[in-house]
């Protein structure tokens, strides 16, 4: 009565999937409760490796969780009036993310049609954000976000045959520039958490882009390091005529 335009959001569970959240949805339905926004956290996905390792951040499993929940709402609880899905927190501690993990989460949140999402940020017990060392010192992952934010013109549709390797691309016809941001997420946990992923051969195909004459390619590689990386250490990147950015 005091604020009729207020939005009702919940349940903001710390970690969940469609099975976990259904009791809440059923409760709202039984009580005749309207729910404008369905929200929860995708900090970790409780993925266990073959050795029984503990949880890790799996962006593609986060995508599956969101899509499963969306289908549950559409098929069994359309009467609740849910208009948006918000992910209150996503991503894990520094040890589980890195530049590739950040880009993969951004890719899958977008693919799942999430309306709003907030990055996790811890400040105590050595758990500073994986984007910053301190208020003035960026890590490698910070520049991944910078490249993502610098997308130009219009977004391009991207597809992958490896759930752990994704690309976010954009093009600007007025300048003749195409940007492709390639990210690879980690899948190690437990005793193998510090293990580096083996190299993979990755091929990128651009389709439907008209090209005549000479194309200049510039590549920026970030990670898997997670320590500080200052702007002056990026060298001359990005050049004004940058055509392609990868890592």
């Amino acid at each position: 009565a005091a604020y009729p335009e207020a939005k009702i959001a919940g349940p903001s569970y710390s970690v969940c999937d469609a099975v976990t959240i259904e009791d809440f949805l059923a409760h709202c339905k039984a009580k005749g409760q309207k729910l404008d926004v369905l929200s929860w956290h995708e900090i970790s996905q409780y993925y266990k490796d073959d050795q029984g390792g503990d949880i890790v951040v799996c962006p593609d499993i986060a995508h599956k969780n969101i899509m499963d929940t969306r289908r549950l709402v559409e098929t069994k609880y359309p009467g609740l009036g849910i208009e948006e899905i918000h992910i209150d927190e996503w991503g894990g501690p520094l040890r589980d993310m890195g530049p590739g993990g950040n880009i993969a989460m951004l890719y899958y949140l977008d693919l799942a049609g999430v309306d709003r999402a907030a990055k996790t940020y811890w400040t105590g017990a050595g758990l500073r954000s994986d984007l910053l060392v301190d208020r003035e010192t960026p890590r490698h992952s910070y520049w991944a976000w910078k490249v993502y934010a610098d997308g130009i013109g219009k977004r391009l549709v991207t597809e992958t045959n490896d759930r752990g390797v994704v690309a976010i691309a954009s093009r600007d016809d007025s300048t003749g520039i195409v940007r492709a941001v390639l990210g690879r997420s980690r899948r190690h946990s437990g005793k193998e958490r510090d293990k580096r992923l083996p190299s993979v051969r990755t091929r990128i195909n651009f389709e439907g882009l008209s090209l005549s004459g000479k194309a200049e390619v510039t590549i920026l590689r970030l990670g898997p390091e997670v320590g500080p990386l200052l702007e002056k250490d990026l060298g001359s990147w990005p050049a004004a005529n940058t055509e392609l950015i990868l890592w």
Side-chain angles (χ1 to χ4, degrees):
Y3 188 10
E5 295 81 17
K7 299 291 186 180
I8 306 300
S12 197
Y13 288 164
S14 59
V15 178
C16 79
D17 53 24
V19 174
T20 306
I21 209 169
E22 184 164 13
D23 284 347
F24 171 79
L25 296 172
H27 172 81
C28 292
K29 181 178 180 180
K31 296 292 185 179
Q33 173 66 60
K34 181 185 176 184
L35 186 66
D36 299 290
V37 177
L38 187 63
S39 64
W40 70 92
H41 299 216
E42 283 288 348
I43 297 176
S44 58
Q45 286 70 46
Y46 286 95
Y47 171 87
K48 292 183 179 293
D49 59 26
D50 295 338
Q51 291 75 41
D54 56 357
I55 58 177
V56 294
V57 177
C58 299
D60 58 304
I61 296 180
H63 174 260
K64 180 181 183 300
N65 288 343
I66 297 165
M67 296 305 294
D68 286 348
T69 301
R70 183 186 295 280
R71 282 188 288 268
L72 176 65
V73 170
E74 292 174 350
T75 57
K76 294 184 65 175
Y77 303 97
L80 295 183
I82 294 173
E83 299 177 352
E84 295 186 356
I85 291 179
H86 294 185
I87 302 301
D88 299 323
E89 283 190 305
W90 64 262
L94 175 63
R95 63 187 182 184
D96 293 328
M97 292 297 291
N102 277 273
I103 289 299
M105 282 298 300
L106 291 169
Y107 170 85
Y108 280 113
L109 289 170
D110 188 35
L111 188 66
V114 172
D115 296 280
R116 298 182 184 228
K119 174 72 172 63
T120 55
Y121 188 88
W122 294 283
T123 57
L127 292 176
R128 287 190 180 275
S129 167
D130 62 322
L131 302 183
L132 304 170
V133 175
D134 54 42
R135 295 174 65 179
E136 298 180 352
T137 310
R139 297 185 187 274
H140 282 69
S141 294
Y142 169 88
W143 299 107
W145 278 64
K146 176 69 165 58
V147 173
Y148 169 75
D150 285 343
I152 52 178
K154 58 184 178 181
R155 285 282 293 273
L156 301 178
V157 175
T158 58
E159 297 178 346
T160 178
N161 62 359
D162 184 331
R163 296 182 308 166
V165 180
V166 301
I168 300 174
S170 60
R171 64 182 287 184
D172 185 350
D173 293 335
S174 65
T175 59
I177 295 176
V178 174
R179 285 173 175 260
V181 183
L182 185 69
R184 186 185 185 197
S185 57
R186 302 176 181 180
R187 297 303 286 265
H188 294 309
S189 63
K191 295 180 180 179
E192 293 192 333
R193 179 165 265 129
D194 295 329
K195 180 180 178 181
R196 290 200 174 198
L197 293 172
S199 298
V200 294
R201 188 179 298 275
T202 303
R203 180 175 179 175
I204 303 174
N205 295 322
F206 290 92
E207 299 179 358
L209 299 180
S210 59
L211 177 65
S212 61
K214 183 177 66 173
E216 182 170 343
V217 176
T218 300
I219 296 176
L220 169 68
R221 290 186 175 90
L222 297 171
E225 292 78 10
V226 295
L229 180 61
L230 301 178
E231 186 171 11
K232 65 181 182 63
D233 296 322
L234 292 175
S236 58
W237 177 88
N241 56 356
T242 296
E243 290 286 344
L244 182 64
I245 300 175
L246 309 175
W247 73 86

